[in-house]
Amino acid sequence: MQTLTNIKVIAPGARVVIRDAEWLVRRVDTTNTGGKKYTCIGISEIVKDKEAIFLDEVEKAEIEVLDPAQTKLVQDQSRSYQASLLYIESLMRQTAPTDDGLYIGYKAAMDSVPYQFEPIIKALDQVRQRILIADAVGLGKTLEAGILVSELIKRGKGKRILVVAVKSMLTQFQKEFWSRFTIPLTRLDSTGIQRVRNQIPSNHNPFYYYDKSIISIDTLKQDAEYRTFIENAYWDIIIIDEAHNVADRGTSSKRNKLAELLAHRSDTLLLLSATPHDGKARSFASLMNMLDPTAIANPDEYTKDDIKGLFIRRFKKDIQEQVSSSFKEREISVVKVKASRLEEAAFESFVNLSFKLIDQRRTRGQLFKTTLEKALFSSPYACSVTLQNRIKKLNSEDPDRYKDDINQLSSLDSDLAHIGFENYAKYQKLLSVIKDRFQWSGKAVDDRIVIFTERIETLNKLRDHLIKDLDIQDDQVEILHGGLSDLDQQEIVENFGKEEAPVRILLASDVASEGINLHYLCHRMIHFDIPWSLMVFQQRNGRIDRYGQERTPEIVYLVTESTNEKIKGDTRILEVLIEKDEQAAKNIDDPSAFAKVFDIEEEEAITARAIETGMNSEQFLDNLNAEPSLLDILLSEAEESTEKYSDDKRKLLPVLFNNDYDYFKAALEYLKNNEDIQFKFKPEAKLVEISATEDIRHRFKFMPKEIYPENGYFILSSDQKAIQREIKRSRKDADTWPNVQYLWEQHPLMTWVNDKLLASFGRNEAPILKLPKKYMSPNETKFIITAMNPSRKGHPLIHFWLIVNFVNNKFSGIELFDEFQKKFQLGLKPISNTGNGFDTKAMEALLPSAINEVTKWMETERADFENRINTKLDKKLAELEALKGRQYDYHQLSLLPDDSTLQQDDEKAKRKRQIDQIFDEFMQWVEDSMTTEKTPYIQVVAALVGGKH
């Protein structure tokens, strides 16, 4: 053994001795003080299966690494060398790829489509994996994120993960990541985070309690204490879903400040959004600068080169050819309803309103009368509530001053009060559409309906009357709106996609139009009121018209026809929006591209101004068909991607077993000799059932409770299609989490098996295998050796599995294990264990020479790597210096000319320090991530000798 001072490299996979116990190093991190933190799993008996973290600054004198030249070669007594093969395979499965190939993501439990891998290819080509995935609604951004995260986990860059999402998306995102990728995100909703905080000391950071978690951004922003926790935590990967909500829009929002803080707390940052910008260069620049703070000097003026590689954006038309069977062309119907006599009276009363004082004030940029009309178009009852609220407010302020306006409001409210549901034409048409057009009875579990309206008053009234008029039960109609708690929102969304749940109709405000999946058991949507924003059309319709929808989406718009010229004209403006959305769905897939403002509130303001100024539909249409914004042109130019997916991007690391199932089966059968493990295999279904042991239970203690079977009895399958069927079937059960979990290399039980097998041989031991004469002659000796140069952060940069050859005890060359495996098919072809009487001393005497040759070989590889990477780094450094100069210039020019010279000097110095810090931090990250440790970590895995027969 050599101490740490002699062998400097401790890399993931190394076996070390600390405090007289042997540990397997699972992860290496750099501490804030520049030292190393080692996350380890115990191997020797007293610490077996225990997880511990050691700091080299504390343990330096106690840490010993095993000298590969002193490896003891031992005979494997197992049948067909099963112990050796499993041991070698377990080490191989911990080999981290060092190139930009796809090694695992395409194996996930999903129907892989080429376009889904292009963001991953683009990200892996970068120095840092930081990217905005801005695909249109329904294309599967969550799946794309899961693929990339899987690839990073495989590379040792995904132990700690934080996902930040909107409240209604927490469960859905969590379930997708587990069911398809077996990535266990613990849901820290309002209940979950309180539970964690109750279980740990008050001064402990809850974000260190779980390595992988998902939390609502609104939960994070509400508690100032979380800022301290975040500032003292670091993740490998942070994902921000619906990232447009965190862009800087000049309002200093808490969401934006939180996102900017998070952007500095991870190596990898993924932003997901179907609506990535609001048409303003500055707000989009804020997202780009979260990904790369050195990218943009002037947030109001930048080029496509400044943001190249930082985002990818595709619409349905871009990928339609790849997924023609997975996207059904929607059927859109505009159902017109003639207003009843009482409704016409209310319209007339509304049109005749002429306020003296109220419209001197605007609400969200629009006149109060426009606000009233929007409520009136939702329902008479929503309008009545708006009226009553305003009357109450005016009475509390100055009833005499507002007397005339109050009287007009009261008169309209009186007219609205006469409109009952029996003479509310739009509601009666709604019943007709449901009963007659859809032939809907509420009995079929897979024929559910979403009805959208933006007003809660309308939602409540509709629920009460639909239950009665459709003769259905109370629990068959649910209401979803933003006023509900995060837990309630998640439960309603989950139940709507669950066959066993009684809900048949979901009445939703536009809180349900962002992100969530409603298409599992639903292909019918009714817009009870028409949105005033094209982006809301896109978001609403995208809930059922999305990737994976198996039936034709049927979308119905209810439009009231009035004889009143004013109401008729305003309604026609809303019909123009319907037509534009339909045109977008067929052509460009981006409705917001028409209005060119890319912001819901601004789009609604455009519609409001058209109504207030009395535009006709042609004028409104001309107003919508604006010239493309500079940002729109910029993104169109920048989104062209050369990182196209092709099958040659799929790669495989060498293996000794045909597949995950065969390996897992062989591993359990071997481990049962020394472990009390209860399991059962069903090879025809690629299924395995296993009862949790004590150490399995301990491992799952720090994972989400939803993934742990209630009885501790795991059912696993390696069949992708079977898992997808189980995901779909699980929606029929009360517990919508699949009972069958995906058995692949990323499942926690596979990791558990790997760790167990690594202890198959003793401290600094390696097995000897004798191969038949047809493979190796008796005078040949081969050593399987793995060698790696990690970065300063502990991530592998150069990693090889090698065969070191000796003939007649003389070194004869090195070859890659891949080349050897193609010829020998070790493990894939049965060999008998006939080995005995090995001259282990003679073979061990060759090890110093073998290690010396591997060290020289790795020196050459490292020099080649350094030459390649230095060329890239020099180019990057030159780019950064130019960017830094542009940032200096921009910030100096932005100083106010009337400031004093002293003030300007102080401000210049302050801004220069800020810029220097940003660039210094980035360069330090690049240096730590791309600089290789000089001494390689080398491990002797096994020895191979030739037989006489």
Side-chain angles (χ1 to χ4, degrees), residues 50 79 131 135 318 375 416 427-429 431 436 472 488 655 741 788 801 840 849 916 921:
K50 304 294 184 185
R79 185 177 179 180
I131 190 170
D135 289 345
D318 299 319
L416 293 173
Y427 173 74
Q428 293 302 321
K429 182 59 72 173
L431 291 178
D436 303 328
I472 55 179
D488 288 339
V655 292
Q741 299 178 4
M788 175 178 62
W801 276 68
T840 57
S849 174
D916 287 343
E921 286 177 355

Side-chain angles (χ1 to χ4, degrees), residues 518-672:
L518 300 177
H519 66 290
Y520 299 128
L521 302 173
C522 173
H523 67 289
R524 289 170 167 165
M525 176 182 294
I526 300 173
H527 295 262
F528 191 75
D529 51 30
I530 310 304
W532 287 24
S533 160
L534 284 160
M535 292 177 72
V536 175
F537 278 88
Q538 181 187 22
Q539 292 177 349
R540 283 186 181 183
N541 293 335
R543 297 314 101 221
I544 66 166
D545 182 12
R546 59 193 301 108
Y547 180 70
Q549 173 61 267
E550 296 177 351
R551 292 171 291 178
T552 298
E554 296 180 41
I555 298 170
V556 175
Y557 297 94
L558 298 180
V559 178
T560 301
E561 285 188 310
S562 172
T563 58
N564 185 288
E565 289 301 319
K566 165 65 176 170
I567 299 297
K568 184 189 297 184
D570 294 348
T571 302
R572 177 57 193 146
I573 283 177
L574 300 184
E575 290 183 65
V576 168
L577 294 177
I578 296 172
E579 292 163 6
K580 280 298 182 185
D581 178 68
E582 187 174 4
Q583 182 182 342
K586 291 180 178 178
N587 297 320
I588 66 169
D589 245 20
D590 187 7
S592 58
F594 285 111
K596 305 299 177 192
V597 293
F598 305 93
D599 178 80
I600 289 174
E601 288 191 12
E602 289 199 30
E603 286 189 341
E604 289 180 343
I606 289 173
T607 304
R609 284 195 294 272
I611 288 173
E612 289 172 356
T613 57
M615 283 186 191
N616 60 37
S617 57
E618 289 75 17
Q619 292 170 322
F620 180 56
L621 188 58
D622 290 340
N623 198 39
L624 282 182
N625 292 331
E627 290 298 316
S629 68
L630 291 176
L631 184 58
D632 195 39
I633 295 171
L634 178 65
L635 298 189
S636 298
E637 292 175 348
E639 72 188 21
E640 291 300 322
S641 171
T642 57
E643 292 81 5
K644 297 297 182 185
Y645 171 83
S646 60
D647 285 341
D648 62 3
K649 283 290 184 179
R650 294 188 178 196
K651 297 187 178 181
L652 291 170
L653 292 169
V655 292
L656 306 187
F657 290 80
N658 286 312
N659 51 55
D660 290 327
Y661 184 84
D662 289 351
Y663 169 64
F664 195 69
K665 182 174 184 293
L668 290 183
E669 289 174 343
Y670 170 74
L671 291 172
K672 73 178 181 182

Side-chain angles (χ1 to χ4, degrees), residues 375-437:
L376 182 58
F377 282 169
S378 178
S379 72
Y381 321 104
C383 187
S384 181
V385 170
T386 303
L387 286 167
Q388 290 169 21
N389 287 338
R390 182 52 61 101
I391 291 170
K392 182 178 179 181
K393 181 178 180 182
L394 297 178
N395 276 322
S396 67
E397 289 183 8
D398 191 341
D400 292 333
R401 182 168 181 247
Y402 291 107
K403 181 179 179 181
D404 185 72
D405 288 349
I406 291 172
N407 288 337
Q408 290 190 71
L409 295 177
S410 300
S411 177
L412 174 59
D413 192 32
S414 176
D415 288 339
L416 293 173
H418 291 104
I419 304 173
F421 268 75
E422 68 282 356
N423 45 41
Y424 180 22
K426 189 165 62 168
Y427 173 74
Q428 293 302 321
K429 182 59 72 173
L430 172 68
L431 291 178
S432 174
V433 168
I434 294 173
K435 292 178 179 179
D436 303 328
R437 183 189 183 93

Side-chain angles (χ1 to χ4, degrees), residues 178-244:
W178 173 252
S179 301
R180 301 186 187 279
F181 305 98
T182 63
I183 299 172
L185 299 173
T186 299
R187 190 173 68 247
L188 298 180
D189 49 32
S190 53
T191 300
I193 199 161
Q194 188 58 49
R195 183 173 61 247
V196 173
R197 296 179 74 171
N198 289 339
Q199 292 174 349
I200 62 177
S202 58
N203 62 335
H204 283 209
N205 192 330
F207 294 115
Y208 278 125
Y209 194 70
Y210 294 108
D211 277 337
K212 300 175 178 65
S213 56
I214 180 168
I215 191 168
S216 159
I217 192 163
D218 290 321
T219 299
L220 279 180
K221 77 175 186 181
Q222 287 169 1
D223 193 334
E225 189 178 6
Y226 291 140
R227 181 179 180 89
T228 302
F229 290 141
I230 291 170
E231 287 174 340
N232 290 282
Y234 201 88
W235 291 267
D236 298 307
I237 302 169
I238 291 177
I239 303 172
I240 301 179
D241 195 24
E242 305 296 346
H244 53 275

